[in-house]
Amino acid sequence: MADKYQLSEGSLRVIMSGGKVEDAIMQVLGTKRIASGSSSDKERYRLLLSDGKYLISFAMLTTQNNDKIVNGELSDNSIIKIKKYITSVINNVGKVNKRVLVILEMETLVPGHKSSKIGSPEQLPEDDSEPLPSETKNNTVSSSTSSTVPQVNGSHRNDTDVNMSMQDQLTHPISSLSPYQNKWVIKARVSNKSSIRTWSNSRGEGKLFNMDLIDESGEIRATAFRDLVDKFYDLIEVDKVYYISKCQLKIANKQFSNLNNDYEMTFTPDTIVQECHDVVDSIPQTRYDFISIDKIAHIEVDTMIDVIGVCKSASDVQMFQARSTGRDLKKRELTLVDQSNNSIALTLWGTEAETFDSASQPVIVIKGARVSQFGGGKTLSTNASTVMKINPDIPEAHRLRGWFDNEGISKTTVNISARSEGGGSQTQWINVKDVQEMGMGQGDKGDYFQVVGTILLYRSENGIYKACPKEDCKKKAADQGNGMYRCDKCNREYPNFKYLLLGSANIADWSGNIWLSLFSSEAEKVLGMSSQAVGEAIENDSQALVEIADKAHFKEFIFKCRSKMENYNDENRLKTVALRVDPVNYKEYNSYLISQINELLN
DNA sequence: CCCCCCCC
């Protein structure tokens, strides 16, 4: 198998003197993990690389390729094709300049175990080409890429000296920045810029803003503080490309950023930022590491993730006071769904919540949402550093749109934000006959349980009423006969009302049947219609609910219920309310059945 | 040097 491929002999000599070789075929003779600065760092790997004639030990993989080593695809003797690379000359004080090869994109042609060492490659001699003038002059770094080699022609421009000094220089890939090497210039696109934020705490006060910088090799977050905010905030514009140098690097705190970099930068008084006016198509817009929604169920709370989903529905804006700060808050909860047929709630805040419009069911792309947990389900929340894009022009968004419009729209989804009653612990599964037999509803708080049941009969009589229009008030409104509706609870009259369903259904499983009352929101799910739509249908045809209810018959759901004994006319009656109705989550239900079977076997 | 982002 290995005979199929001929190594690109001599290509290392070209590449390592700044030249360009397309799709060079090389052999990996060794891999070595580079000691990292901290335990939170991503591992970095250095390769011993041969072109059959020469070998170099200064080859590095960008961390995006690490999985190839971890999964064993890339091992000793593997033959690879180098599809995209950058070289950088690193200045070692008092020593000869060293050129490093950074592999951005590669493909494994033959795995190591199916190959053996080819030829007798020798150490590539030290760079024998004359160093570029800018390298000597600025005592700094340079690089060339396989796709865009910056032109050293600044002397013919009418720019100022400062401009020329920046633009003449060859640049350094973001993925190779580290705190141990501070002579560099990057050429990066600003993919996101925060607003100016002020802080005040025990260590002082000030203002700051962050930006996300991106190039072909990777991305990094940069922050400017205090007077540097005044100096740079207006200069830096989103989507523009800049030459940036002389920032301080430090270990990134992963808790607050989802950028794929172990480090982040801080602007200093020496920092230089200069706009790049060339047309630079090679620098990407934004990098995403999308996590499919079903996988979020297993992701640790407080992790920052990127996600893409169709906004299937959204709540209205809700206003409340923060318990801790007393501040007035506004939120809106979106339901996102993707090809995994799972859905998750995403909370937007403030202005973003107010202005969001879900009517067209747009594709939402989020970079850096925080995973949180509520009532046993997982949810997502945006924060100050989150970037949200609506219907962005990226392939993933078009693919998702196509899926949703064609099939996703009609599929039932598993809601991973669903909460189980009782403080996050699993609600007990029971059979319908047990509701009576277990003596449910004796306590004053009632008993909670869930059943899987089929609707035998949905009662259509008195299934709807005109309620107080105030949000969250469910009181029946009295028609005053003059176009006004009176709510006794709010003690006022309104010119309007809202329809609410008064659901009642008989559901059955193998063991028996039981009558349930349903909250309006849950009755809507069973009927597949909003209360308002049902109300309007009845206005046109008083018997409309009979037909609507008939469509719900023989449908199967999970009913999460509360049973409580109530006293009616001196007679005790067990009342059971379906607090929540969901499509059957077979994964969850089957694991319950399996545990039951195991119990029987023991 | 921020990094709070809230609630059910």
Side-chain angles (χ1 to χ4, degrees):
Chain A
M1 187 174 180
D3 319 343
K4 246 173 72 184
Y5 297 100
Q6 178 111 34
L7 299 189
S8 308
E9 281 192 22
S11 57
L12 276 175
R13 192 181 184 116
V14 179
I15 290 172
M16 299 307 277
S17 50
K20 176 177 163 180
V21 179
E22 260 177 48
D23 290 344
I25 295 178
M26 308 237 189
Q27 184 168 39
V28 175
L29 295 178
T31 62
K32 191 180 168 190
R33 203 170 131 180
I34 302 170
S36 61
S38 96
S39 56
S40 66
D41 276 19
K42 272 235 171 68
E43 297 163 342
R44 273 167 201 278
Y45 291 94
R46 190 170 143 174
L47 306 180
L48 183 60
L49 204 59
S50 158
D51 67 5
K53 187 174 179 194
Y54 294 115
L55 59 85
I56 59 161
S57 58
F58 293 99
M60 223 180 76
L61 271 188
T62 53
T63 52
Q64 291 93 322
N65 287 305
N66 279 357
D67 56 316
K68 295 192 169 68
I69 290 195
V70 178
N71 69 22
E73 177 188 328
L74 197 57
S75 59
D76 292 4
N77 297 327
S78 291
I79 296 173
I80 64 171
K81 183 197 275 181
I82 298 178
K83 295 160 92 173
K84 221 177 200 179
Y85 66 89
I86 297 177
T87 62
S88 300
V89 176
I90 294 180
N91 175 257
N92 275 335
V93 180
K95 292 184 197 162
V96 184
N97 287 358
K98 278 235 153 71
R99 200 180 272 268
V100 172
L101 170 62
V102 182
I103 299 172
L104 302 175
E105 231 176 82
M106 54 147 285
E107 184 189 331
T108 310
L109 301 174
V110 184
H113 65 273
K114 287 191 179 161
S115 180
S116 53
K117 187 177 170 183
I118 299 172
S120 327
E122 289 170 17
Q123 186 72 39
L124 180 74
E126 289 294 348
D127 192 349
D128 46 11
S129 63
E130 281 296 304
L132 293 166
S134 62
E135 286 172 16
T136 328
K137 187 178 70 198
N138 297 309
N139 191 24
T140 177
V141 299
S142 73
S143 79
S144 61
T145 73
S146 59
S147 49
T148 51
V149 179
Q151 301 296 303
V152 188
N153 61 358
S155 56
H156 301 300
R157 297 181 191 201
N158 293 323
D159 293 338
T160 63
D161 282 347
V162 185
N163 280 345
M164 285 197 309
S165 74
M166 284 291 264
Q167 294 183 0
D168 284 356
Q169 248 165 101
L170 300 172
T171 56
H172 206 92
I174 286 176
S175 66
S176 64
L177 298 184
S178 79
Y180 317 112
Q181 210 291 102
N182 55 19
K183 304 277 189 183
W184 47 259
V185 179
I186 56 168
K187 182 177 178 177
R189 190 187 302 280
V190 175
S191 63
N192 179 39
K193 181 176 96 164
S194 77
S195 52
I196 298 171
R197 216 160 67 236
T198 57
W199 84 87
S200 170
N201 59 28
S202 57
R203 277 168 298 193
E205 53 180 58
K207 58 180 175 183
L208 71 119
F209 78 99
N210 320 294
M211 73 210 88
D212 296 342
L213 302 173
I214 179 167
D215 74 4
E216 289 171 284
S217 77
E219 54 188 359
I220 193 163
R221 188 161 84 134
T223 308
F225 290 98
R226 304 172 197 277
D227 51 328
L228 298 174
V229 173
D230 303 327
K231 190 170 169 186
F232 289 112
Y233 191 78
D234 291 334
L235 175 74
I236 288 168
E237 292 179 47
V238 172
D239 287 340
K240 285 193 172 171
V241 176
Y242 299 88
Y243 294 101
I244 299 174
S245 66
K246 293 188 176 124
C247 295
Q248 195 181 68
L249 276 119
K250 60 171 190 174
I251 302 284
N253 189 337
K254 289 291 181 184
Q255 214 190 318
F256 304 116
S257 158
N258 195 36
L259 295 202
N260 187 8
N261 203 315
D262 300 329
Y263 305 112
E264 60 185 35
M265 331 204 290
T266 305
F267 278 28
T268 75
D270 297 327
T271 295
I272 301 170
V273 175
Q274 230 185 351
E275 191 177 339
C276 169
H277 294 283
D278 304 345
V279 179
V280 245
D281 295 331
S282 58
I283 300 186
Q285 300 287 336
T286 308
R287 280 166 194 284
Y288 297 104
D289 184 14
F290 293 126
I291 309 277
S292 127
I293 292 174
D294 57 326
K295 302 274 191 312
I296 302 174
H298 312 293
I299 284 184
E300 215 176 305
V301 167
D302 281 344
T303 311
M304 300 285 277
I305 62 161
D306 301 343
V307 72
I308 181 167
V310 172
C311 175
K312 201 169 183 178
S313 60
S315 74
D316 293 334
V317 177
Q318 286 154 275
M319 285 189 277
F320 60 95
Q321 268 199 339
R323 197 185 286 168
S324 48
T325 59
R327 265 167 60 185
D328 285 322
L329 299 173
K330 289 184 187 119
K331 72 155 190 179
R332 191 196 294 266
E333 211 160 84
L334 318 190
T335 300
L336 301 185
V337 60
D338 71 7
Q339 283 105 320
S340 71
N341 272 322
N342 280 48
S343 68
I344 190 164
L346 167 75
T347 308
L348 306 184
W349 301 93
T351 316
E352 216 166 30
E354 282 182 293
T355 55
F356 185 81
D357 181 8
S358 67
S360 63
Q361 297 185 306
V363 173
I364 305 295
V365 165
I366 294 277
K367 186 169 176 69
R370 177 179 267 103
V371 175
S372 34
Q373 200 156 23
F374 179 65
K378 287 276 170 44
T379 61
L380 292 174
S381 185
T382 58
N383 60 62
S385 62
T386 303
V387 184
M388 179 172 93
K389 291 194 173 147
I390 297 169
N391 289 326
D393 186 11
I394 59 170
E396 293 94 328
H398 297 303
R399 230 175 288 140
L400 190 61
R401 174 91 266 151
W403 166 81
F404 184 77
D405 291 347
N406 287 310
E407 49 176 314
I409 191 163
S410 54
K411 287 225 164 117
T412 46
T413 53
V414 176
N415 177 13
I416 71 161
S417 302
R419 20 186 204 275
S420 39
E421 297 296 328
S425 66
Q426 183 62 259
T427 310
Q428 63 172 327
W429 288 103
I430 63 165
N431 300 308
V432 163
K433 72 168 166 46
D434 297 328
V435 180
Q436 298 290 343
E437 289 187 9
M438 287 167 78
M440 289 280 181
Q442 302 302 322
D444 47 8
K445 276 188 296 193
D447 289 303
Y448 292 84
F449 58 85
Q450 56 188 338
V451 294
V452 168
T454 302
I455 296 176
L456 295 187
L457 186 64
Y458 185 98
R459 200 203 304 270
S460 54
E461 302 84 20
N462 302 321
I464 193 156
Y465 66 100
K466 292 174 179 174
C468 168
K470 190 167 162 282
E471 198 180 355
D472 292 327
C473 181
K474 296 183 167 51
K475 186 79 183 162
K476 183 173 180 176
D479 192 337
Q480 302 298 92
N482 57 0
M484 297 298 279
Y485 296 84
R486 178 172 171 78
C487 172
D488 285 337
K489 197 174 165 197
C490 300
N491 196 25
R492 56 169 285 195
E493 287 187 11
Y494 296 93
N496 57 334
F497 62 88
K498 64 169 181 268
Y499 279 114
L500 283 180
L501 294 169
L502 204 65
S504 177
N506 187 270
I507 62 141
D509 65 6
W510 64 273
S511 70
N513 66 77
I514 184 180
W515 279 97
L516 302 177
S517 311
L518 293 101
F519 282 176
S520 187
S521 60
E522 308 313 297
E524 288 185 344
K525 290 192 211 167
V526 165
L527 297 179
M529 273 176 90
S530 69
S531 305
Q532 184 61 30
V534 174
E536 283 167 15
I538 286 176
E539 280 174 13
N540 292 330
D541 166 15
S542 61
Q543 293 305 299
L545 190 51
V546 176
E547 230 178 271
I548 294 165
D550 194 47
K551 288 188 194 133
H553 292 149
F554 304 111
K555 281 192 178 164
E556 197 182 37
F557 294 94
I558 295 177
F559 297 89
K560 290 194 166 120
C561 304
R562 182 188 56 210
S563 276
K564 198 173 173 300
M565 205 57 84
E566 281 185 3
N567 196 291
Y568 257 109
N569 303 330
D570 279 332
E571 199 189 338
N572 278 340
R573 265 173 41 181
L574 188 68
K575 188 176 181 192
T576 301
V577 182
L579 306 163
R580 201 182 159 91
V581 179
D582 283 306
V584 180
N585 176 345
Y586 287 100
K587 208 162 149 188
E588 189 185 339
Y589 186 52
N590 286 346
S591 79
Y592 157 70
L593 291 179
I594 289 165
S595 76
Q596 288 292 291
I597 291 167
N598 286 336
E599 225 173 282
L600 285 174
L601 291 175
N602 293 333

